[in-house]
Amino acid sequence: MSFLKRIKAIGESKSHRANLLKEKVAADLVILISKAGLSRSDVAAKLGISEPALANLLRGDAKLGLDTINAICDAASVEFRDLNQSLGGVISKSK
């Protein structure tokens, strides 16, 4: 069962499901950054932000929008589609 189907099956409110999805996105970004062989400080430097600012994003303490997710993927040399695939295809990205 995909992640999206699992969180829908929980039967929680939309805001609770959104928070679960945000946590999953952040967790998967951490995994993909690690798999790319980069440290958080490497990615933060590429983004032009401090390591604590990146940590805030990855903990969900700061807004993690699509532009930010895409920038983190680019900085970590990770394909956005790899992140989206790990989430069951729940993110739509338009240019």
Side-chain angles (χ1 to χ4, degrees), residues 48-62:
I49 62 175
S50 68
E51 189 174 350
L54 179 61
N56 285 340
L57 288 167
L58 297 176
R59 264 195 322 268
D61 294 342

Side-chain angles (χ1 to χ4, degrees), residues 24-43:
K24 174 74 170 140
V25 169
D28 284 6
L29 281 169
V30 169
I31 291 166
L32 291 172
I33 289 167
S34 177
K35 283 183 179 180
L38 297 171
S39 68
R40 289 184 188 189
S41 61
D42 294 332
V43 174

Side-chain angles (χ1 to χ4, degrees), residues 19-89:
N19 285 335
L20 290 174
L21 181 58
K22 185 169 80 168
E23 290 171 11
K24 174 74 170 140
V25 169
D28 284 6
L29 281 169
V30 169
I31 291 166
L32 291 172
I33 289 167
S34 177
K35 283 183 179 180
L38 297 171
S39 68
R40 289 184 188 189
S41 61
D42 294 332
V43 174
K46 288 182 178 186
L47 290 170
I49 62 175
S50 68
E51 189 174 350
L54 179 61
N56 285 340
L57 288 167
L58 297 176
R59 264 195 322 268
D61 294 342
K63 184 179 178 191
L64 190 59
L66 287 178
D67 289 341
T68 305
I69 293 167
N70 192 49
I72 293 170
C73 286
D74 287 347
S77 300
V78 171
E79 291 293 328
F80 184 90
R81 70 175 175 264
D82 293 339
L83 172 64
N84 197 25
Q85 183 178 18
S86 74
L87 296 168

Side-chain angles (χ1 to χ4, degrees), residues 3-4 6-22:
F3 176 73
L4 184 59
R6 287 194 311 263
I7 63 170
K8 282 183 178 179
I10 291 172
E12 299 289 338
S13 69
K14 284 185 180 182
S15 65
H16 182 70
R17 290 193 310 254
N19 285 335
L20 290 174
L21 181 58
K22 185 169 80 168

